[in-house]
Amino acid sequence: LWAWESIEHSPEPVSAAAMSIGGSVPVEVNALATDAQGTQLYAACGDGVARVFDIATCAVKQQLRPRLHGGYLTGIAQLQDGTLMTTSTDGVLRQWDPRQATCVWEAPPASGRWLSSLAADPAGPWLVCGGSAPPMLWHTETHTLHATLDVAGSTTAIAFTREGIATAGSDGHISHWALSGALAARTAT
């Protein structure tokens, strides 16, 4: 963590605190997210474990370990109900209860494909994830697949907009989608 005042007013930023995952081997962090209050930091890590940090103390509060997994974590996001969603290179989308450090739901794996990007809708019960698998729009309250977005190539970036979903990736386009899964616009990059 950085002391923002030193970044704004000094040529040499000062670190305010350091967070450590622990262990003797460095662990790759592939994605970060925070809670709505800004008190917790969530990390999706290359060792297949999601970690919950307390920002005030810089301590690891929870480690979320899947029972079985074949890949490292690539994305992490918090849903409105406080649960976390993770994506991984084994193609599995998982939902976690960070208070209990338990996996509460797993989507069927994307057959032989990896998931690398993830976004949760801050205004509703929607989540979209993609990677080498096409982007999938999930209704998070019912755990149902609502739509699969028709993209060519892999998806490396996903975001919710006021009107729907934006995706980008190896197809050379930024695409905008309605929540129905219909393509609204596509722009070459």
Side-chain angles (χ1 to χ4, degrees):
L1 296 178
W2 296 93
W4 288 109
E5 204 168 280
S6 76
I7 290 174
E8 294 174 343
H9 305 293
S10 171
E12 305 223 4
V14 176
S15 175
M19 292 183 168
S20 174
I21 289 177
S24 60
V25 178
V27 175
E28 174 183 316
V29 176
N30 297 309
L32 295 170
T34 60
D35 66 343
Q37 296 77 29
T39 61
Q40 296 185 106
L41 179 70
Y42 309 119
C45 300
D47 61 357
V49 177
R51 290 172 173 84
V52 179
F53 289 90
D54 180 299
I55 290 178
T57 65
C58 296
V60 175
K61 290 175 55 175
Q62 292 285 3
Q63 294 190 46
L64 311 176
R65 298 177 187 275
R67 289 182 301 280
L68 300 170
H69 65 83
Y72 57 88
L73 299 184
T74 55
I76 193 162
Q78 185 183 43
L79 300 179
Q80 289 179 322
D81 65 3
T83 60
L84 299 174
M85 300 297 291
T86 59
T87 53
S88 64
T89 57
D90 64 2
V92 177
L93 173 67
R94 291 181 177 88
Q95 184 175 19
W96 301 89
D97 181 345
R99 297 165 299 237
Q100 305 297 319
T102 56
C103 180
V104 296
W105 177 74
E106 288 184 4
S111 181
R113 297 181 177 233
W114 44 265
L115 298 173
S116 65
S117 48
L118 168 72
D121 183 359
W126 300 103
L127 176 120
V128 65
C129 63
S132 67
M136 297 170 281
L137 178 60
W138 291 89
H139 188 268
T140 60
E141 293 172 350
T142 61
H143 298 129
T144 54
L145 180 59
H146 180 69
T148 300
L149 309 181
D150 186 20
V151 299
S154 61
T155 303
T156 56
I158 297 174
F160 277 89
T161 68
R162 285 183 296 174
E163 296 84 24
I165 302 161
T167 63
S170 66
D171 69 350
H173 292 90
I174 297 173
S175 301
H176 191 260
W177 308 86
L179 285 180
S180 66
L183 180 64
R186 182 169 278 157
T187 304
T189 54

